[in-house]
Amino acid sequence: MKVDVPTLVEQARLGRPRAVARLISLVEGASPQLREVMAALAPLAGHAYVVGLTGSPGVGKSTSTSALVSAYRKAGKRVAVLAVDPSSPFSGGALLGDRIRMSEHASDPGVYIRSMATRGHLGGLAWSAPQAIRVLDAAGFDVVLVETVGVGQSEVEIASQADTSVVLLAPGMGDGIQAAKAGILEIGDVYVVNKADRDGADATARELNHMLGLGESREPGDWRPPIVKTVAARGEGVDEVVEALEKHRAWMEEHGVLAQRRTARAAREVETIAVTALRERIADLHGDRRLDALAERIVSGGLDPYAAADELVAGLTGLPGDSQDPPSGPGRGYASPA
């Protein structure tokens, strides 16, 4: 059923959760009205501070997110939470476990919590997360907290979607070893050692600090990720985390990094949408005589796969191929959605 997008957007701006929920549902369902929705939201977005929280399962991401919501609400800020849960292999839906842990905020009109299923998308986020973040931003929330699935050191996609990325670790879970692996040391703007009342918390913080010191060299004035110890279940150390987040935001604004990150985020989103559209058009070619003809020429040795791909792209876009460039990998430079 077609919806009245301008009215829905206006209701979302007034803080009505049903309208926000409906807009995100249109995003998740790839509604035919999605272009209209995004066009209506474009001039309203760009004000929310997007904070991503990631880390291995069991480090207390949901509890930490809930504690951050409480801290920001004390400061009078409207807060939205986008909690990305693993998809059910049967229904495709999300478990909604994160929303259960944040039930204390359910009756607060200044808080909106939404769970999204990954639906098989890797990297810790759902495919539609960037558009959902834009909905929450345009709805007037001051802070958007994005909690990722929690699948280990491969879950680094949040760094491309958040203004500030928070990496959570906990003592006694092997996180010191995980932190040494590729990705984790590169995406964190703030590191949090949660469950700091457990044995080994100080050692975990020291080890992490040592690894950060071994990382890439920083120039004077560059951001040095702080390490904050918390006991999120009791609210201990949460104010220090908020202070670290605000310091990072101020540093980014002072050095122009915030604008750079948001521009890069928009560029990736445009690229993803464009590549997805191309993939859909290519999928429509299965069984098409043009694709079969290219395949036959490859089999007969009259054409190589890269030249065939160039012809296919040229036919779909009207742009010439790029067969003169050397291959750069299996896809030879053809991007895939983030």
Side-chain angles (χ1 to χ4, degrees):
M1 182 179 70
K2 192 170 183 179
V3 300
D4 184 349
V5 171
T7 300
L8 206 58
V9 170
E10 182 58 31
Q11 290 177 344
R13 292 288 289 176
L14 293 173
R16 296 178 181 171
R18 283 180 176 268
V20 177
R22 182 62 176 141
L23 286 171
I24 295 180
S25 294
L26 291 174
V27 166
E28 285 192 286
S31 165
Q33 291 183 268
L34 185 54
R35 289 176 180 269
E36 184 183 356
V37 169
M38 289 298 113
L41 296 179
L44 304 174
H47 306 289
Y49 178 38
V50 183
V51 178
L53 293 97
T54 188
S56 302
V59 297
K61 290 191 301 298
S62 296
T63 305
S64 297
T65 300
S66 181
L68 284 173
V69 170
S70 297
Y72 276 119
R73 287 299 291 146
K74 280 184 184 177
K77 296 183 183 295
R78 293 183 65 211
V79 185
V81 177
L82 192 64
V84 183
D85 282 314
S87 294
S88 162
F90 304 104
S91 68
L95 179 63
L96 307 184
D98 297 322
R99 292 180 71 175
I100 295 170
R101 296 187 188 97
M102 291 180 240
S103 58
E104 64 184 281
H105 303 293
S107 60
D108 186 344
V111 178
Y112 178 84
I113 301 172
R114 174 76 176 221
S115 287
M116 296 183 72
T118 56
R119 299 187 183 183
H121 184 70
L122 301 178
L125 294 179
W127 184 89
S128 53
Q131 288 80 28
I133 292 171
R134 180 173 286 104
V135 170
L136 298 170
D137 184 0
F141 290 98
D142 301 301
V143 180
V144 177
L145 302 175
V146 184
E147 181 191 336
T148 66
V149 170
V151 292
Q153 72 270 16
S154 64
E155 187 189 307
V156 296
E157 188 180 339
I158 186 59
S160 66
Q161 300 298 337
D163 297 323
T164 298
S165 296
V166 178
V167 175
L168 287 100
L169 304 98
M173 299 185 65
D175 280 314
I177 302 299
Q178 295 297 327
K181 297 187 177 181
I184 288 296
L185 286 180
E186 299 169 4
I187 70 167
D189 298 305
V190 175
Y191 288 86
V192 173
V193 178
N194 190 32
K195 305 181 181 180
D197 53 341
R198 293 184 176 180
D199 291 339
D202 291 338
T204 299
R206 283 196 304 270
E207 186 176 358
L208 179 58
N209 185 58
H210 175 67
M211 288 186 222
L212 288 172
L214 295 176
E216 58 182 321
S217 59
R218 295 179 175 87
E219 298 294 329
D222 284 356
W223 177 255
R224 165 80 183 191
I227 301 170
V228 184
K229 290 186 288 184
T230 66
V231 183
R234 298 202 297 257
E236 297 175 9
V238 177
D239 289 341
E240 286 79 2
V241 175
V242 172
E243 182 181 354
L245 292 174
E246 292 305 314
K247 284 182 178 179
H248 184 243
R249 182 179 187 176
W251 176 86
M252 288 192 295
E253 291 174 343
E254 180 184 350
H255 293 81
V257 175
L258 184 59
Q260 291 173 7
R261 288 191 175 190
R262 290 180 174 179
T263 300
R265 189 159 75 217
R268 280 187 291 267
E269 187 177 0
V270 171
E271 180 184 7
T272 298
I273 292 170
V275 171
T276 300
L278 280 175
R279 280 185 165 178
E280 289 175 351
R281 294 181 65 180
I282 290 173
D284 290 340
L285 288 178
H286 285 292
D288 187 284
R289 182 56 197 161
R290 289 173 295 173
L291 187 58
D292 290 342
L294 289 172
E296 289 170 1
R297 290 169 63 190
I298 293 172
V299 172
S300 66
L303 192 66
D304 70 87
Y306 290 112
D310 287 339
E311 285 193 30
L312 182 61
V313 170
L316 290 172
T317 65
L319 298 175
D322 198 13
S323 58
Q324 300 304 312
D325 290 340
S328 59
R332 212 195 64 166
Y334 295 117
S336 62

